Amino acid sequence: MSLLCDLQINLNHEFTFLLNQDLISEYSGFLRKMIKQSKKKKKNHKNSRIIIEVEDFPGGSEGFELVSRFCYSNGGGISIDVSNVSILYCSSSFLEMTEKLCSSNLLLQTEKFLEGMFYWSWNDVLLCLKSCEQVSLHADSYGLVDKLVFGVLAKIAQNSDMSQVFASSSPSSSASASSQSPDTAKTRSDSDKRSTSRSFSCKTSNEWWFDDMSILGPRIIEKLIKNLGAYDKNNNSLVLTRFLLHYLKTKLQNKSNNKLEYSGLADTAVQGVVFAAKTTFSCRKIFWVLRVLSGFNISKESRIGLESVIGEMLDQATLDDLLIPAGGKKEKGFYDVDLVIRLLKVFVRIGHSEDDENLRMIRIVGKLIDKYLREISPDQNLKVSKFLEVAESLPDFARDWFDGLYRAIDIYLESHPKLSSEDRTKICRCLNYKKLTLETCKQLAKNPKIPPNIAVLALKSQQLSDESLTPSREDKSKVNKIRNSRNYLEEKPILVRLKGFDMSSEKFEDDLRMMNLDRKLWTSSEKVCKEKKSEVVSRLVRHGHTHSSSNFPRLC
């Protein structure tokens, strides 16, 4: 007499089921084969229990328990619904529970249940598709995911304007998101639906399904996009692009997600953004896209595409747009300066000439970059080389005046007190001293953080720029008065800062105010300059300094 439980199933090396061989063989072709093979190996042990190892079983112990109940209840005992049909379908396919063994076997029952999918509610289709994630590999290989994806698309088609959902990107295809689902719309009668089908698709947003679909995993969404022929470089649908951005934004908030699984969807979203960028997305929106998708390891090609679009629109950016956290090691700095440098290279490369419109655009960017440098200057990890790379990315004509850039340098020097004299001199190389206003030049000359040779160079550049201006009759008369003024020659010191030369701040301020009066007249008389130079030498001698006159800058 055979044992009641003469079959032991070790499931996925975790669970053990004790069953009757004859009973389970009536429904499962897979187990029938395994039992026959085991019996051939144990001819001398007829009454011993057969042990079968089953690996990679879909649905795990829950799925196998449902199948066992079905077999022990002679094809009944379980209720098939949208929550378990995916597991039962995959389990019965794995165990080969076909009609060849038993009429109305489990596989046939699940197939009949799935045939009624197009009569299910929207929520039921989503719930069934969500349950496939437990058996994703098997559901995909058995074609179940494809069936359910088509069911989802059918539901979307019933309640949306498909010409806009899956058509090429255009400004007219943009619509605001709505939370209305097709289940809400079912309150209307069938005749009412037929008569108002067109007006319904126009009144209802094409984005009502975004939130509901966001509960699904990346593999299922990827399958949906591929079935539509819009995956990766083939994406030119604005609505699908908006959905992917919405979907990826929700997944970014969950830190437990493996971001690599979403990289393909992220690249597909980038393709859609690049395709419709200039007609649909603002510069700020594309910056937002870059922030969101950078967390999903997008490909280098996708990153270059996004940065190229942003670079061409950089004159529309704001300071907040550029302040993107680096996200990597703190040693590299708090903000992603390399990104801004790449954007500037794109902006300059597109060929901004010096005509009125392009000049206006590039000067807008020049002011923006000066603000950006002032904002990032306090960062202790910002290197001088990076500061200069940003500052020097724009041509000289991008700035009317270099006062904003000087203020950024001043903040940097204030925030980096241990900077060497060599680096302090190096960072000033990005300044065009001829484009400093007189007031800023005064501040630079008084700034103790600026090396003395830089201060002298800035003042000399001011002098040279003034030489190009032809003095008027009124200016010439002022020059004559200055020449005849002994008090002026005695009281006005040379505006240079030399090591060891002490000068009171009060007297220095007086000199700067006088400099504002006659800044255009410095070069009108070489005699005045020479007398100034001899005056300084005599003062230094009186104070005990022995510097030779050759060490002084040539002012005339």
Side-chain angles (χ1 to χ4, degrees):
M1 180 178 178
S2 62
L3 295 173
L4 182 62
C5 297
D6 52 1
L7 175 64
Q8 178 178 326
I9 304 292
N10 293 331
L11 195 70
N12 298 339
H13 302 289
E14 294 181 1
F15 305 97
T16 300
F17 289 85
L18 299 177
L19 305 170
N20 183 270
Q21 295 180 23
D22 297 333
L23 183 63
I24 206 73
S25 296
E26 292 180 11
Y27 296 93
S28 172
F30 172 80
L31 291 177
R32 176 181 290 188
K33 295 175 186 177
M34 298 292 289
I35 291 171
K36 287 183 177 179
Q37 291 176 4
S38 298
K39 285 182 176 180
K40 290 180 179 179
K41 295 178 182 179
K42 296 184 177 182
K43 293 181 179 180
N44 299 327
H45 302 83
K46 295 183 180 181
N47 295 326
S48 63
R49 179 179 293 169
I50 294 176
I51 300 175
I52 297 176
E53 301 287 341
V54 178
E55 298 179 1
D56 195 28
F57 183 79
S61 61
E62 179 185 353
F64 198 85
E65 184 176 351
L66 289 173
V67 170
S68 300
R69 288 182 186 177
F70 177 84
C71 296
Y72 272 85
S73 60
N74 295 322
I78 59 173
S79 176
I80 302 176
D81 54 38
V82 293
S83 63
N84 63 17
V85 66
S86 298
I87 294 176
L88 290 174
Y89 180 84
C90 294
S91 298
S92 58
S93 297
F94 184 92
L95 294 174
E96 299 174 8
M97 301 176 72
T98 63
E99 294 177 83
K100 294 180 180 180
L101 302 176
C102 172
S103 61
S104 189
N105 209 339
L106 182 57
L107 181 58
L108 179 62
Q109 291 190 32
T110 55
E111 287 176 342
K112 287 183 178 179
F113 185 85
L114 290 170
E115 287 175 0
M117 178 196 315
F118 295 99
Y119 301 101
W120 297 356
S121 68
W122 166 256
N123 290 332
D124 286 344
V125 177
L126 279 184
L127 180 61
C128 187
L129 196 52
K130 178 67 177 176
S131 66
C132 283
E133 293 178 5
Q134 303 176 46
V135 289
S136 58
L137 294 177
H138 293 88
D140 194 13
S141 62
Y142 297 146
L144 178 59
V145 174
D146 286 329
K147 291 180 182 179
L148 293 172
V149 164
F150 284 123
V152 167
L153 293 177
K155 293 295 179 183
I156 295 175
Q158 289 175 7
N159 300 277
S160 302
D161 185 353
M162 297 304 289
S163 63
Q164 293 187 16
V165 173
F166 306 123
S168 298
S169 303
S170 63
S172 61
S173 64
S174 177
S176 60
S178 172
S179 59
Q180 183 180 4
S181 66
D183 291 340
T184 306
K186 282 188 175 182
T187 55
R188 300 176 300 167
S189 63
D190 293 339
S191 60
D192 189 30
K193 284 183 181 180
R194 287 192 296 269
S195 63
T196 61
S197 59
R198 291 189 178 182
S199 61
F200 174 78
S201 62
C202 295
K203 292 180 180 179
T204 304
S205 167
N206 292 317
E207 302 178 4
W208 56 263
W209 45 280
F210 283 15
D211 287 333
D212 295 335
M213 292 285 286
S214 294
I215 66 172
L216 301 175
R219 290 183 179 178
I220 293 177
I221 299 299
E222 194 170 297
K223 175 72 72 172
L224 183 145
I225 301 297
K226 286 181 177 179
N227 284 338
L228 291 171
Y231 188 72
D232 201 13
K233 295 181 180 181
N234 297 319
N235 179 26
N236 57 5
S237 168
L238 178 60
V239 176
L240 285 180
T241 299
R242 289 188 182 277
F243 164 67
L244 288 175
L245 293 175
H246 177 84
Y247 176 79
L248 292 170
K249 179 186 174 183
T250 61
K251 301 305 177 183
L252 188 64
Q253 299 169 357
N254 189 351
K255 295 182 179 180
S256 62
N257 288 329
N258 182 8
K259 300 301 187 293
L260 289 175
E261 294 180 346
Y262 299 86
S263 59
L265 295 176
D267 288 333
T268 303
V270 169
Q271 179 63 31
V273 171
V274 172
F275 184 83
K278 294 182 179 179
T279 58
T280 307
F281 294 95
S282 65
C283 184
R284 167 156 287 192
K285 184 67 174 179
I286 301 177
F287 265 109
W288 176 86
V289 171
L290 182 62
R291 289 172 187 259
V292 171
L293 300 187
S294 293
F296 292 101
N297 298 313
I298 57 176
S299 65
K300 183 178 180 180
E301 183 181 359
S302 295
R303 181 177 291 279
I304 291 174
L306 271 182
E307 291 176 0
S308 297
V309 172
I310 296 174
E312 294 175 6
M313 307 166 65
L314 199 57
D315 58 300
Q316 303 174 28
T318 63
L319 178 59
D320 289 338
D321 295 333
L322 298 182
L323 295 175
I324 298 179
K329 297 180 180 180
K330 294 183 178 179
E331 291 77 8
K332 292 185 178 180
F334 187 77
Y335 295 110
D336 193 348
V337 180
D338 290 329
L339 169 63
V340 176
I341 293 171
R342 294 195 297 270
L343 296 178
L344 285 171
K345 288 180 179 179
V346 172
F347 181 75
V348 173
R349 189 172 61 243
I350 59 178
H352 285 293
S353 59
E354 296 189 50
D355 59 71
D356 292 342
E357 180 60 24
N358 285 327
L359 192 60
R360 182 191 66 82
M361 294 170 58
I362 201 167
R363 284 181 175 171
I364 289 174
V365 175
K367 292 179 181 179
L368 174 64
I369 293 305
D370 288 350
K371 291 180 182 178
Y372 176 74
L373 286 171
R374 293 198 293 272
E375 188 69 27
I376 67 173
S377 289
D379 186 358
Q380 294 300 306
N381 293 313
L382 180 64
K383 305 299 182 184
V384 172
S385 58
K386 286 296 178 185
F387 184 100
L388 289 172
E389 198 170 353
V390 176
E392 296 175 344
S393 294
L394 292 172
D396 190 74
F397 64 85
R399 296 177 175 93
D400 285 324
W401 299 100
F402 276 67
D403 295 20
L405 185 55
Y406 166 72
R407 286 193 288 272
I409 292 175
D410 187 37
I411 295 171
Y412 187 89
L413 295 177
E414 185 72 31
S415 305
H416 300 75
K418 297 182 180 180
L419 210 61
S420 66
S421 177
E422 181 183 353
D423 283 338
R424 284 188 287 124
T425 301
K426 182 180 178 181
I427 199 172
C428 293
R429 80 181 187 196
C430 58
L431 288 174
N432 184 342
Y433 304 117
K434 294 181 181 180
K435 284 191 173 184
L436 290 175
T437 61
L438 184 60
E439 186 63 31
T440 301
C441 195
K442 294 177 186 179
Q443 296 174 8
L444 185 148
K446 294 188 299 181
N447 194 336
K449 299 182 291 293
I450 300 292
N453 60 321
I454 297 298
V456 172
L457 186 60
L459 291 170
K460 189 174 181 180
S461 298
Q462 283 278 326
Q463 174 190 354
L464 294 174
S465 65
D466 289 337
E467 287 179 353
S468 61
L469 300 174
T470 304
S472 62
R473 289 184 178 180
E474 184 180 353
D475 293 334
K476 290 180 179 179
S477 64
K478 289 182 179 180
V479 170
N480 293 330
K481 290 181 181 179
I482 292 171
R483 286 178 176 176
N484 298 327
S485 174
R486 179 176 294 276
N487 291 334
Y488 172 80
L489 296 177
E490 291 178 353
E491 294 179 4
K492 186 173 182 64
I494 298 298
L495 297 181
V496 294
R497 294 189 293 106
L498 298 172
K499 188 173 182 181
F501 181 59
D502 188 18
M503 184 182 293
S504 63
S505 60
E506 182 178 354
K507 194 170 185 179
F508 196 75
E509 288 288 342
D510 293 337
D511 291 331
L512 290 176
R513 282 193 291 271
M514 294 182 70
M515 183 182 176
N516 191 35
L517 174 65
D518 59 335
R519 61 186 296 266
K520 297 181 181 180
L521 309 175
W522 277 26
T523 61
S524 301
S525 176
E526 291 188 10
K527 181 179 178 182
V528 174
C529 294
K530 291 177 180 178
E531 289 179 1
K532 288 181 183 179
K533 186 172 181 179
S534 61
E535 183 77 16
V536 172
V537 174
S538 62
R539 287 187 185 184
L540 288 174
V541 171
R542 287 199 299 271
H543 285 80
H545 295 274
T546 59
H547 294 78
S548 65
S549 61
S550 62
N551 291 332
F552 290 94
R554 184 175 179 179
L555 300 177
C556 298

